[in-house]
Amino acid sequence: MQIKILVVDDSASVRLIFKNKLKEYCILTACDGMEAMRVLKEHDGINLLIMDLNMPNMNGLQVLESLKEDKRYRKLRTIILTDYDELDNEIKGLKLGAVDYIRKPIHEDSLKARIDLHVALLRAEQMLEKQLGKEKLTFEMIFDQAPIGIAISHSSDPNHFDRAIIRVNPMYEQITGRKKEELISLGWAKITHPDDIEEDMKNFKRLQAGEIKAYSMDKRYIRPDGSIVWVHMIVAPFNLSNDHQFSHICLVQDITERRVLEKALNESERSKSVLLSHLPGLAYRCNYDNEWTMQYVSKGCFNLTGYSPESLLYNRDLSYNDIISPEYREVLRNEWDRIIPLKQPFKYEYEIITASGEKKWVLEMGQGIYNDDGEVEALEGIVLDISDRKEIENTLKYNNEHDRWTGLYNREYLVSLLEKDIKEKEKSKKALIGINLSMVQLLTANYGYQYSQNLIKKAAEALSQHCTDNRLLFQPRENRFIFYLFDYKDKNELVDFSYVIAETLESLFVTERIGGGIGILEIEQNQNEVDIDLLLTRLLIASERFISMFGKDLRICFYDEELEALVNRERDIVEALNLIALDGHSNDDLYLQYQPIIDLRTGSIFGFEALARLRTEKLGPVSPLEFIPIAEKTKLILPIGEKVIVKAFHFLNKLKEHGYDEIGVSINISVIQLLTPSFTGRLLELMSEMQVNPKNIGIEITESVFANDCDNINNNIQKLRATGLYIAIDDFGTGYSSLSREKELKTDCTKIDKYFIDELLNEDPNNALASDIISMAHKLGHYTIAEGVEDERQLQYLEKYKCDKIQGYLISKPLDEDDALEFLKKYNKNLAL
């Protein structure tokens, strides 16, 4: 006999679960109450009705009410799908046939065992109905061989109905672990677990009173050894004869294994419930459709979206797609469409819009649920709130891509953007305009660091006004800006815009008396691979090309072939200096020349200034005005500078060998050397090793020291002076200095720059500043040396205003060592004459 089961649920996935698990039965389905009533009318002999109460159109209670009035369904077994632990009293009051329930969500592992029990009971009832009234032997065969426990009892005394048991089959004995005699002696109440007696008694009394036609429940029997066996029990009236006042039949099936499984599943559900309650988001099961129609949504939905879970179920008030921020809907759909055929896990970050209109970042992780044919039944997963993480990420991303002081994009972002655009915009014109404001650092000495940085911030704000969609501003390093332009017309547009930049900044710096440089670099088109660091280096070179320490304008320089040649020459100079620093070149490449310094009071030679010279086979003679700045920029001045000191000390010792004990040598020292912590100690160490007299050594430092760490420099100067060395300020009057700083530095001598000496030939000497510098230096306790004296008129002026010493071509050009010794010898001879 085929068993017909009608499953009524508005969830297609639930109906599919029953179909897949109960393939051996005839499964009919309906999506709501109205369809259920139609199916019941069209199909006779439906044995079991499985139904959810909460359905659209016509709910489960309305269906049951309708069936109650139809005699055909009085014996219809009903299983209610419910979220509650107990059946509602309203359901129990319908007085239908046996009613059971399955708690949602449905556990597929225990589903089949539960249905099989009901089917077994159905078949047993049908067999009993057919066999009752036939010969006793046939009934005995059915009774004894039934796969379920059967007990038939009656009681003439309503007060002792719990003891009367007149028939039990072998399966009942096996389930309870007791023989018929013991069962009759004890009664069923004695072997029932104490926690189940009250409910069992209550139901039995209602059955006895005619309030219900049957009842079913899960209960526990206690076996003789104290162990527990769980059974599903169905109790119904059973008329044996007219002699007995009340009789009933009890059908039981051992469900201990199922209950153990359910307990484990319940524990799993409890753990899952705890997990979901603490989940910073929601869990879901939804259809694979355009609206992501939700079949299940966890309670975390409200905290995440501001909408209750019920409002999203089956798109009651809105769909989940409505919550997704519009710009992500299509990409989210495309990503699901991509991974579904591959049966891969889904993971994507996007934004949602909450009920309050707030945007939140979420991370969705899910997977498709497939049937045996590989078709998608549903999607399951979780949606987590990652707004806090995204905020941190965005803050970190902003900090990594922007300068913290000005808020402009930084070098890292510029590099990444250039790498991307060079590959993706091959045919687009691209150029960089570099703005070099390194002269701002000169203001730090007089006005402090904060003043200069505030000025840079104002420059950033002024330049930002010129940003457009194809013109972006960056700050790659301190006191530097870069405009990145693309899709521009031609070079003229770059030049015109550079003049706009210059005009903007000159108006800002008009009272500061400083300038800067603007470099322009066009990036070649149709190149996939470009060295970005090289581009930025070339741009820096172009921007530095015409920077003047004293000018207040911003000059523009294209990076072109001429500049490329200068860059290549600089590279060759660096290579030569590197070899010298590593002793890879002949010492003759780096050599010194010595220019005599005359004491105007005595007419005698006071000493020599050691002047570094570079001459290589490839480059020929290289001016110190060219290679010294390169050495300073590359920090090669440190090893090169030590070699210069050693060569100068050798010359001092040679002077000593020739009897010139009182003649000194002054050495030019870079501020980089002076600021190196080990410099002073190393200089004193060399003086000791080479046995030179400190009183014959002079150290010349330029005014650029005023823009650096004055306190540290002064400490080093004092240490050197304490040994007997004399310290001179070189090129005085050409740098960015102040009298207060001049006074602070504990020096011995002020060297007057050639610029002021040349003035003596070009204007009225009475208006020249040289005499003022001499007077000021004397007031500070310094003696003076005039540089670049080339004319008798200059000499006469300097003698008149009591300059202490002079040097220049009027006396002698810079000389090699042997020539310097010969000059000294002849000069002293002439002086004696």
Side-chain angles (χ1 to χ4, degrees):
M1 177 190 66
Q2 190 177 37
I3 298 295
K4 289 184 179 181
I5 301 174
L6 174 58
V7 179
V8 187
D9 196 290
D10 59 352
S11 170
S13 60
V14 171
R15 300 196 298 271
L16 193 61
I17 289 172
F18 279 95
K19 273 191 171 183
N20 291 337
K21 286 294 181 181
L22 306 174
K23 290 181 179 178
E24 66 268 37
Y25 306 125
C26 177
I27 304 296
L28 306 172
T29 61
C31 64
D32 56 31
M34 295 292 289
E35 188 177 2
M37 294 303 296
R38 180 180 59 76
V39 173
L40 284 165
K41 289 178 181 180
E42 292 177 357
H43 295 269
D44 292 331
I46 293 178
N47 308 101
L48 183 60
L49 174 61
I50 302 173
M51 181 171 59
D52 190 353
L53 294 183
N54 185 22
M55 294 184 299
N57 296 330
M58 183 177 185
N59 64 37
L61 284 174
Q62 293 170 323
V63 172
L64 294 177
E65 283 285 353
S66 300
L67 296 179
K68 184 178 72 171
E69 304 301 326
D70 194 328
K71 294 180 180 180
R72 292 178 299 169
Y73 303 114
R74 287 182 179 175
K75 293 185 179 181
L76 178 66
R77 285 182 172 272
T78 306
I79 296 178
I80 304 298
L81 302 177
T82 178
D83 293 329
Y84 304 100
D85 291 330
E86 296 182 2
L87 290 175
D88 193 276
N89 290 330
E90 190 175 0
I91 301 172
K92 295 178 180 179
L94 292 174
K95 297 184 179 180
L96 296 166
V99 178
D100 194 5
Y101 72 95
I102 293 178
R103 188 177 179 185
K104 295 179 76 174
I106 295 168
H107 302 300
E108 298 181 25
D109 294 330
S110 62
L111 172 65
K112 192 172 186 308
R114 192 71 164 266
I115 302 302
D116 287 345
L117 170 60
H118 282 278
V119 171
L121 294 173
L122 276 168
R123 285 175 172 158
E125 289 173 355
Q126 292 168 352
M127 290 173 67
L128 284 172
E129 287 177 357
K130 288 181 180 180
Q131 295 303 326
L132 286 175
K134 291 187 179 181
E135 58 184 5
K136 184 177 181 180
L137 180 61
T138 304
F139 175 79
E140 291 292 340
M141 290 176 60
I142 296 170
F143 187 78
D144 291 340
Q145 295 179 24
I148 59 174
I150 305 174
I152 302 173
S153 66
H154 69 89
S155 175
S156 57
D157 182 359
N159 296 321
H160 296 91
F161 63 84
D162 60 312
R163 296 182 184 172
I165 300 176
I166 62 169
R167 289 290 299 273
V168 294
N169 72 343
M171 181 56 71
Y172 193 90
E173 291 181 340
Q174 180 181 330
I175 290 172
T176 61
R178 302 175 189 274
K179 294 298 183 181
K180 173 182 176 182
E181 292 74 16
E182 186 179 1
L183 290 168
I184 293 173
S185 171
L186 294 173
W188 59 264
K190 296 289 186 182
I191 65 171
T192 299
H193 193 282
D195 293 344
D196 299 328
I197 288 178
E198 183 179 352
E199 182 183 355
D200 203 353
M201 287 288 192
K202 181 180 177 182
N203 289 330
F204 190 82
K205 286 180 179 180
R206 293 181 65 201
L207 179 69
Q208 189 181 34
E211 295 177 8
I212 56 176
K213 295 181 178 181
Y215 74 89
S216 64
M217 65 177 288
D218 289 350
K219 63 178 283 185
R220 287 161 288 186
Y221 284 137
I222 302 174
R223 286 177 168 170
D225 61 0
S227 62
I228 300 297
V229 59
W230 274 96
V231 298
H232 181 70
M233 178 181 72
I234 300 176
V235 181
F238 187 65
N239 296 322
L240 282 175
S241 69
N242 295 329
D243 298 335
H244 299 105
Q245 196 172 36
F246 178 76
S247 300
H248 65 276
I249 185 169
C250 174
L251 307 177
V252 297
Q253 184 175 21
D254 187 347
I255 60 168
T256 304
E257 185 176 343
R258 192 198 84 193
R259 291 294 296 206
V260 171
L261 179 60
E262 283 184 350
K263 184 179 180 181
L265 288 171
N266 287 336
E267 178 61 26
S268 174
E269 281 298 308
R270 185 194 66 77
S271 299
K272 185 166 71 175
S273 176
V274 171
L275 174 63
L276 290 178
S277 66
H278 291 85
L279 194 70
L282 61 86
Y284 70 86
R285 181 184 177 98
C286 73
N287 296 339
Y288 181 41
D289 58 21
N290 290 331
E291 299 300 321
W292 312 111
T293 301
M294 290 293 169
Q295 303 173 14
Y296 166 79
V297 187
S298 68
K299 293 180 181 179
C301 175
F302 182 77
N303 289 334
L304 177 64
T305 68
Y307 297 102
S308 65
E310 294 77 17
S311 64
L312 289 176
L313 286 175
Y314 302 102
N315 306 329
R316 189 188 77 180
D317 299 329
L318 75 167
S319 70
Y320 185 75
N321 193 60
D322 295 330
I323 296 176
I324 299 170
S325 192
E327 65 267 27
Y328 292 99
R329 290 172 186 169
E330 184 176 353
V331 293
L332 198 64
R333 162 62 57 184
N334 293 339
E335 182 63 12
W336 269 112
D337 290 345
R338 183 186 70 81
I339 67 103
I340 283 293
L342 303 174
K343 295 186 177 181
Q344 294 177 345
F346 177 85
K347 187 175 183 180
Y348 204 84
E349 294 179 1
Y350 56 92
E351 285 184 293
I352 62 171
I353 302 174
T354 68
S356 64
E358 175 191 3
K359 276 196 170 187
K360 285 185 178 180
W361 274 98
V362 296
L363 167 64
E364 181 177 349
M365 295 183 288
Q367 61 183 19
I369 306 300
Y370 306 86
N371 60 21
D372 294 340
D373 297 327
E375 298 171 338
V376 181
E377 294 180 2
L379 307 177
E380 289 184 350
I382 57 176
V383 180
L384 303 177
D385 186 352
I386 59 169
S387 299
D388 290 343
R389 193 201 81 193
K390 269 292 181 180
E391 185 176 353
I392 294 172
E393 285 180 359
N394 290 337
T395 300
L396 290 174
K397 185 174 183 290
Y398 182 88
N399 290 338
N400 287 335
E401 294 179 350
H402 292 76
D403 179 81
R404 293 190 180 184
W405 179 243
T406 62
L408 297 177
Y409 287 121
N410 60 19
R411 187 183 192 278
E412 286 71 20
Y413 185 69
L414 173 61
V415 170
S416 64
L417 183 61
L418 287 174
E419 289 174 345
K420 177 172 173 262
D421 283 3
I422 286 170
K423 291 179 180 178
E424 297 180 1
K425 299 179 180 179
E426 293 181 29
K427 298 181 179 180
S428 172
K429 286 187 175 183
K430 296 176 284 292
L432 300 173
I433 297 180
I435 304 155
N436 192 325
L437 300 178
S438 57
M439 290 299 102
V440 169
Q441 67 188 353
L442 297 177
L443 300 175
T444 304
N446 284 342
Y447 305 113
Y449 177 77
Q450 194 60 46
Y451 180 88
S452 60
Q453 288 307 294
N454 286 339
L455 200 59
I456 288 296
K457 193 168 188 176
K458 289 179 182 178
E461 292 169 355
L463 293 172
S464 296
Q465 303 301 314
H466 302 298
C467 290
T468 62
D469 290 341
N470 68 330
R471 191 189 293 158
L472 306 178
L473 180 61
F474 301 80
Q475 186 176 9
R477 54 184 291 190
E478 189 178 37
N479 305 333
R480 307 283 197 278
F481 297 98
I482 292 177
F483 271 105
Y484 170 42
L485 294 85
F486 51 91
D487 296 332
Y488 58 91
K489 185 178 179 181
D490 51 27
K491 283 189 176 182
N492 290 334
E493 182 180 339
L494 299 178
V495 173
D496 291 343
F497 180 57
S498 296
Y499 281 120
V500 171
I501 294 172
E503 185 178 347
T504 299
L505 293 176
E506 284 171 359
S507 64
L508 182 65
F509 295 142
V510 65
T511 61
E512 309 298 341
R513 298 182 294 114
I514 60 168
I518 297 176
I520 304 174
L521 173 70
E522 288 193 283
I523 301 172
E524 293 184 26
Q525 295 174 253
N526 301 317
Q527 287 193 8
N528 286 326
E529 297 295 331
V530 176
D531 187 337
I532 305 298
D533 286 337
L534 180 59
L535 287 181
L536 297 179
T537 300
R538 288 174 171 175
L539 183 66
L540 179 62
I541 291 169
S543 69
E544 289 179 338
R545 180 71 178 127
F546 295 123
I547 289 180
S548 169
M549 185 172 287
F550 309 109
K552 58 180 181 179
D553 58 344
L554 283 94
R555 298 179 62 186
I556 298 168
C557 175
F558 259 97
Y559 190 90
D560 52 19
E561 291 181 2
E562 181 182 350
L563 193 56
E564 177 78 23
L566 291 174
V567 170
N568 291 337
R569 177 173 172 82
E570 181 176 321
R571 185 179 61 245
D572 291 340
I573 292 172
V574 170
E575 183 180 343
L577 293 175
N578 263 312
L579 288 172
I580 292 170
L582 297 172
D583 291 324
H585 259 208
S586 167
N587 284 333
D588 292 339
D589 286 359
L590 178 70
Y591 62 98
L592 301 186
Q593 287 188 322
Y594 302 92
Q595 188 170 41
I597 300 172
I598 303 298
D599 188 330
L600 290 180
R601 290 176 301 173
T602 63
S604 61
I605 295 179
F606 166 76
F608 293 89
E609 179 182 359
L611 301 169
R613 298 290 185 260
L614 176 66
R615 180 179 52 236
T616 70
E617 183 177 347
K618 182 177 182 179
L619 298 170
V622 182
S623 167
L625 296 177
E626 185 178 11
F627 78 81
I628 293 297
I630 294 173
E632 289 182 327
K633 183 168 66 174
T634 58
K635 299 297 188 291
L636 288 170
I637 194 66
L638 298 175
I640 297 294
E642 182 168 322
K643 292 182 182 297
V644 168
I645 292 171
V646 170
K647 288 178 180 291
F649 285 1
H650 275 300
F651 181 62
L652 260 179
N653 285 332
K654 188 175 287 189
L655 288 172
K656 183 178 178 182
E657 289 173 7
H658 287 76
Y660 302 116
D661 294 343
E662 300 300 322
I663 302 297
V665 174
S666 61
I667 307 166
N668 289 280
I669 298 297
S670 166
V671 68
I672 296 174
Q673 293 172 273
L674 201 56
L675 287 172
T676 302
S678 61
F679 172 75
T680 302
R682 179 57 179 160
L683 181 60
L684 297 176
E685 185 181 331
L686 289 173
M687 289 165 54
S688 175
E689 288 177 2
M690 301 186 69
Q691 297 181 352
V692 294
N693 187 348
K695 293 182 179 180
N696 292 338
I697 301 172
I699 297 296
E700 294 189 15
I701 56 177
T702 62
E703 277 191 309
S704 60
V705 297
F706 292 120
N708 294 279
D709 187 352
C710 257
D711 291 338
N712 191 15
I713 290 173
N714 221 10
N715 288 335
N716 289 340
I717 287 174
Q718 288 178 353
K719 289 178 184 177
L720 294 174
R721 291 183 74 227
T723 66
L725 276 76
Y726 60 91
I727 309 295
I729 297 177
D730 197 13
D731 302 331
F732 181 81
T734 60
Y736 201 90
S737 63
S738 67
L739 289 177
S740 60
R741 286 294 173 88
E742 177 87 5
K743 187 176 181 181
E744 286 176 14
L745 288 177
K746 307 300 181 182
T747 58
D748 302 283
C749 172
T750 298
K751 297 193 74 172
I752 305 171
D753 188 73
K754 185 177 185 296
Y755 170 81
F756 297 103
I757 305 305
D758 289 343
E759 275 190 339
L760 300 177
L761 302 177
N762 299 327
E763 60 180 64
D764 185 353
N766 293 323
N767 297 327
L769 294 175
S771 60
D772 298 317
I773 296 174
I774 295 169
S775 174
M776 180 203 69
H778 287 164
K779 288 179 180 179
L780 291 173
H782 301 171
Y783 61 86
T784 56
I785 300 177
E787 297 181 293
V789 179
E790 298 175 353
D791 190 280
E792 284 289 343
R793 289 171 292 172
Q794 295 169 326
L795 175 60
Q796 292 170 6
Y797 178 94
L798 294 169
E799 286 177 332
K800 176 181 177 182
Y801 289 101
K802 302 190 182 318
C803 181
D804 300 290
K805 300 171 177 62
I806 63 168
Q807 66 181 96
Y809 275 71
L810 181 62
I811 308 301
S812 171
K813 66 178 183 179
L815 304 168
D816 294 330
E817 279 192 11
D818 292 341
D819 293 337
L821 288 169
E822 184 63 26
F823 174 84
L824 186 59
K825 180 179 177 181
K826 289 181 179 179
Y827 187 88
N828 284 345
K829 184 177 180 181
N830 292 334
L831 184 63
L833 291 173

